[in-house]
Amino acid sequence: MITVDFSRLELHPGFRVLDAGCGQGRHLAEAFRRQDVHVVGLDRNPADAVKARNLLRIMEHEGEGGNGSWKVFVGDVTSLPFSDAAFNLVVCSEVLEHIAEDARAIDEIARVLKPGQWLAVSVPRFLPESICWMLSKAYRTEPGGHVRIYRRRDLIRRLERSGLTCVSTGWAHALHSPYWWLKCLVGPKNEASRLVKWYHAFLVWDIVKRPWLTRKLEKMLNPLMAKSCVLYLRKDGGNGSGEFAAREKSSD
């Protein structure tokens, strides 16, 4: 499931891309498909890092990559093992809400990004996430789970304090919000609910097949109930292209 819209970003041959908190590698794989792009993933979960490596290894073997290179490390987003200004693009998708010291993580992400280049950040949207917290105590207290809910304007302010400028925002995955509400209603660890199983099967089918009807429906619903809020930012100090000159007003 891809949350970041790579068509909004400028990825050129030779660019280095970091996925900070890469999980099992979904955004790494999307970047690796670009021609001559060098991708680096980092995640604190060793099992997820192994899965990300296996995914990229398979892509490379089957010729699905763009002739670039890849590496995946186990590490902590609050202490990135990379030099200053090492990357042309940093992706941090559905990560910050898990981190107690999120200000430190934001500073680290900004540090390793080259001036004038892009950062894409996504977090759960305030209203759908608040409904999950209201429906289930187990959801909001699960070890390793979400430790906070961001309002969009507040997260933008936090990011901009680290020398970044938010130039565009977006929504993603409206059809996933009801799935998580259902899971919270029946219990996040309840594996027996037929309704949850059915909805999960529907989401998998939708991700694989991407039929035009559900794509249109999700586009219509995203402004109302998107599961994720996505921010596209530039690090100050570069010339930039001015592609997204207008700042967007924030309501949540």
Side-chain angles (χ1 to χ4, degrees):
M1 183 176 69
I2 302 299
T3 303
V4 171
D5 182 357
F6 278 81
S7 68
R8 296 192 181 205
L9 305 169
E10 300 165 7
L11 271 179
H12 301 297
F15 270 21
R16 298 187 72 222
V17 177
L18 171 66
D19 189 348
C22 65
Q24 298 178 15
R26 66 191 191 279
H27 288 102
L28 277 178
E30 189 68 18
F32 189 52
R33 291 188 175 93
R34 271 60 181 180
Q35 189 66 32
D36 295 322
V37 169
H38 309 287
V39 301
V40 177
L42 179 139
D43 201 275
R44 67 182 304 173
N45 185 325
D48 282 348
V50 168
K51 291 179 181 179
R53 290 188 191 114
N54 290 338
L55 174 61
L56 294 171
R57 192 175 290 118
I58 291 170
M59 290 180 64
E60 191 172 48
H61 177 73
E62 296 183 353
E64 295 181 8
N67 298 319
S69 64
W70 62 268
K71 292 181 180 178
V72 178
F73 300 94
V74 175
D76 190 336
V77 177
T78 64
S79 182
L80 294 173
F82 309 113
S83 60
D84 296 355
F87 295 96
N88 305 92
L89 167 66
V90 177
V91 173
C92 187
S93 180
E94 311 300 302
V95 173
L96 293 177
E97 68 275 10
H98 295 271
I99 300 176
E101 297 179 325
D102 62 333
R104 185 173 174 182
I106 290 169
D107 285 343
E108 279 290 275
I109 291 166
R111 178 183 65 79
V112 301
L113 182 63
K114 293 179 183 291
Q117 299 298 327
W118 288 102
L119 167 65
V121 173
S122 75
V123 297
R125 190 177 182 179
F126 181 82
L127 180 58
E129 181 73 356
S130 297
I131 293 173
C132 288
W133 283 44
M134 178 183 67
L135 292 173
S136 172
K137 180 179 179 180
Y139 175 89
R140 66 178 184 268
T141 59
E142 181 179 2
H146 301 176
V147 299
R148 71 180 60 80
I149 308 175
Y150 290 104
R151 288 189 179 274
R152 180 170 59 164
R153 59 179 177 269
D154 293 334
L155 180 57
I156 290 173
R157 280 197 290 265
R158 288 176 179 233
L159 290 159
E160 292 191 336
R161 283 199 293 265
S162 293
L164 301 154
T165 299
C166 183
V167 292
S168 183
T169 67
W171 310 116
H173 311 315
L175 296 180
H176 290 248
S177 291
Y179 170 73
W180 286 101
W181 297 337
L182 283 171
K183 281 182 68 70
C184 288
L185 277 172
V186 303
K189 299 296 186 181
N190 184 349
E191 304 293 338
S193 170
R194 291 184 179 181
L195 186 57
V196 171
K197 288 181 178 179
W198 175 86
Y199 205 110
H200 182 266
F202 162 72
L203 291 177
V204 172
W205 171 82
D206 180 57
I207 291 169
V208 173
K209 299 296 185 180
R210 298 185 61 82
W212 68 268
L213 181 59
T214 57
R215 295 304 87 218
K216 186 173 183 179
L217 179 62
E218 187 157 78
K219 186 176 181 179
M220 292 172 56
L221 291 175
N222 270 338
L224 301 174
M225 51 184 279
K227 182 71 174 69
S228 296
C229 168
V230 192
L231 308 177
Y232 301 90
L233 310 100
R234 276 192 188 274
K235 184 174 179 177
D236 299 344
N239 293 326
S241 68
E243 182 180 355
F244 301 110
R247 296 287 300 278
E248 296 186 356
K249 293 183 178 179
S250 303
S251 59
D252 63 350

